[in-house]
Amino acid sequence: MQGEELNRYGGLYVHRYPELKMKVVDGSSLAVAVILNSIPKGTTEVLLRGNLTKVAYATAFALCQKGIQVATLNQTEYLKLTKSLNVTDSRLVLARSYAQKIWLVGDGLSEEEQLRAPKGTLFVPFSQFPQKKLRKDCFYHYTPAMKTPPSLENVHACENWLPRRVMSAWRIAGIVHALEGWKEHECGYNMSNIDKVWQATLQHGFQPLMISTTHTKN
């Protein structure tokens, strides 16, 4: 278990044990990669809601780098993002409405906020645990996860909210890190190269997890 308040995203453990032979991998870079690849192509703006985490900051930064506008509704969160990301142009904005239809959501998203989302909104979690599904007229992506390769045997369900043979990005990251023989830790405020980790994960047979964003008429 790791978080900023608990142990600085695992970095405190590595600091206390500098001779540690095993590598500590929190999986943040792969989680960000999965989130980025869960956002529909052609998206120009997203709304970021929920408690800000290492993954949330990194995702917001990556989206701004891609020219996608990232909006938040909270003044304090906006100031934290501006300071952390060093983004001063219009790609990071303080929104005045809930008009965006792609929401990146984490722990702390209130039920009231979720109910104010426009019809057809796609909720993409950046948290390890899923949001409660309150809307039948919206779409909910899985928490960051991927399909396991067919060669990986005796895998049923990684988490009880994920489909069979689907594993969370945080767990996959440790497997890929070991398979690649990477020597660095990925914890604390350090992150591996997102594109490098994503490509390595695909090469090892893990596949993106897609969902349908069209409603079926009964």
Side-chain angles (χ1 to χ4, degrees):
M1 188 174 182
Q2 44 88 24
E4 184 172 24
E5 297 83 2
L6 181 63
N7 54 24
R8 298 177 190 169
Y9 301 115
L12 190 60
Y13 186 79
V14 174
H15 179 73
R16 287 180 176 176
Y17 302 97
E19 303 301 322
L20 191 67
K21 295 185 181 299
M22 68 176 67
K23 301 306 173 187
V24 179
V25 181
D26 65 16
S28 294
S29 57
L30 183 57
V32 172
V34 171
I35 294 166
L36 295 177
N37 284 277
S38 299
I39 297 172
K41 292 183 179 180
T43 296
T44 58
E45 60 177 0
V46 302
L47 180 65
L48 185 66
R49 295 302 305 130
N51 301 333
L52 295 178
T53 63
K54 179 180 178 180
V55 170
Y57 281 113
T59 301
F61 180 74
L63 289 172
C64 288
Q65 292 290 96
K66 292 176 178 289
I68 297 176
Q69 188 179 79
V70 178
T72 182
L73 294 163
N74 183 283
Q75 176 76 24
T76 301
E77 292 176 358
Y78 172 75
L79 293 175
K80 286 182 178 180
L81 286 165
T82 302
K83 181 179 180 181
S84 175
L85 307 184
N86 195 26
V87 175
T88 57
D89 60 24
S90 60
R91 288 174 294 181
L92 181 62
V93 300
L94 181 61
R96 299 182 181 276
S97 71
Y98 294 82
Q100 295 81 4
K101 299 193 73 172
I102 306 296
W103 286 32
L104 306 184
V105 296
D107 298 332
L109 175 71
S110 69
E111 293 186 0
E112 179 184 358
E113 285 181 310
Q114 193 177 149
L115 293 173
R116 296 183 67 176
K119 179 180 178 180
T121 293
L122 172 62
F123 295 99
V124 181
F126 57 79
S127 54
Q128 295 192 30
F129 297 97
Q131 303 295 322
K132 185 177 180 180
K133 298 180 180 180
L134 301 178
R135 301 283 298 275
K136 293 183 178 180
D137 59 349
C138 293
F139 305 97
Y140 294 83
H141 213 296
Y142 296 104
T143 53
M146 300 180 74
K147 295 179 182 178
T148 58
S151 58
L152 190 59
E153 299 179 348
N154 299 319
V155 175
H156 299 288
C158 177
E159 319 288 359
N160 61 11
W161 58 84
L162 293 175
R164 290 175 62 85
R165 297 198 60 80
V166 170
M167 184 177 291
S168 69
W170 289 274
R171 297 181 189 274
I172 294 172
I175 295 173
V176 173
H177 200 95
L179 290 172
E180 289 291 318
W182 291 331
K183 303 302 182 183
E184 71 277 4
H185 296 290
E186 184 188 35
C187 60
Y189 297 103
N190 296 323
M191 283 188 63
S192 301
N193 182 280
I194 294 171
D195 291 332
K196 173 185 173 181
V197 171
W198 177 249
Q199 292 302 322
T201 303
L202 294 178
Q203 289 172 8
H204 285 291
F206 293 92
Q207 294 297 318
L209 187 60
M210 310 304 293
I211 66 165
S212 173
T213 53
T214 56
H215 287 296
T216 302
K217 294 183 179 180
N218 295 326

